[in-house]
Amino acid sequence: MNARVVQPSRGAAWLAEGWRMFRAAPFGWLMLVFTYLMGTMLLSALPLVGPLAMAVLMPALSVGFMSASRAAWRRQSVDLAMLAAGFRERVPSQLVLGAVYGLGFFAAIYGSALADGGTLVRALHRSPDAGDAAGEFPVGLLFSVLLYLPTMMLLWFSPVLVAWHGVSPAKALFYSAVAFWLNLRAFIVYAIGLAVLLFVVAGVLTLLVSLLPERATAATVQSLVFPSALVVLPVLFASYYASYRDVFGVAEAA
């Protein structure tokens, strides 16, 4: 696999192309992401087993979203069956990637205790004493993100390299990390663009919440977050495909 070095500005373009792919098939995307979120919430409700299952299945699920993105890029319809695209072939290889993802993800979460004394972990487990050191929460979250970066580099491209190019898991992880590193400047621009997008969405939600009556419940506030996720997540998932097209030189007509 030959990875290209793209211009840093392409990082912002990936998000713009993600939005274009969402607009190409909005209803299909909404159905896909709604199903994904419902499944995620159901699995997360299962102690221990649920989060582990989600971690192991994540690479295969990402292939499903890549398939949907490819269809949207080609102006084709996006349907629910595409979510299972990653489970139709090379499943053992995808599960190997899932194991790597799970190890990296949970190491990042629980490794945050080195910086915040376990505040982030207690908050995620909804421990009653989680609020006792709330001031350390941002420190643990930032440290967790830093610990997660190597896993993100390894898994950014590897699922699709395994599924669409028949690359072995070990080589796919290597190619993904190298491609990510070679285009680090573009990914920094991408991260800045994503931060701006999330800031704007958060600002709009804050404005809407401020317009709600004081008696509005937490459930009412959460009801505004879910529809926002249904729009933001498709753009994010489709931007992965845009980065893959750019970095690996996939030639298709728009």
Side-chain angles (χ1 to χ4, degrees), residues 220-237:
T220 305
V221 175
Q222 291 176 358
S223 68
L224 297 174
V225 175
F226 190 79
S228 302
L230 289 178
V231 175
V232 172
L233 285 178
V235 175
L236 183 60
F237 290 140

Side-chain angles (χ1 to χ4, degrees), residues 163-225:
W164 293 354
H165 299 273
V167 180
S168 69
K171 287 184 178 180
L173 292 166
F174 174 76
Y175 292 148
S176 178
V178 170
F180 195 105
W181 182 257
L182 290 174
N183 291 279
L184 185 60
R185 290 186 299 169
F187 279 104
I188 291 174
V189 173
Y190 174 84
I192 293 172
L194 179 59
V196 171
L197 172 63
L198 295 178
F199 179 80
V200 171
V201 171
V204 172
L205 289 177
T206 301
L207 177 62
L208 292 176
V209 169
S210 69
L211 298 176
L212 294 175
E214 294 184 1
R215 62 178 180 275
T217 64
T220 305
V221 175
Q222 291 176 358
S223 68
L224 297 174
V225 175

Side-chain angles (χ1 to χ4, degrees), residues 32-164:
L32 209 66
V33 173
F34 179 82
T35 303
Y36 167 76
L37 290 176
M38 289 295 100
T40 298
M41 286 189 283
L42 288 174
L43 273 178
S44 298
L46 301 175
L48 187 60
V49 177
L52 285 174
M54 277 306 304
V56 172
L57 298 178
M58 190 59 67
L61 288 171
S62 72
V63 175
F65 286 114
M66 292 287 273
S67 297
S69 302
R70 182 170 60 181
W73 181 272
R74 295 172 174 175
R75 303 291 183 178
Q76 298 171 348
S77 61
V78 173
D79 58 67
L80 190 57
M82 291 177 178
L83 192 58
F87 300 98
R88 296 194 183 108
E89 56 180 335
R90 301 186 180 89
V91 175
S93 295
Q94 294 294 346
L95 294 179
V96 170
L97 296 181
V100 173
Y101 174 82
L103 287 172
F105 178 80
F106 287 109
I109 294 296
Y110 288 95
S112 66
L114 297 173
D116 67 359
T119 300
L120 176 61
V121 175
R122 289 195 296 273
L124 293 175
H125 286 286
R126 299 180 181 179
S127 174
D129 61 342
D132 296 344
E136 297 179 5
F137 183 86
V139 176
L141 184 60
L142 178 59
F143 191 67
S144 181
V145 170
L146 292 176
L147 291 177
Y148 178 70
L149 285 177
T151 302
M152 183 172 66
M153 293 175 66
L154 290 168
L155 272 297
W156 192 274
F157 296 116
S158 53
V160 73
L161 294 180
V162 166
W164 293 354

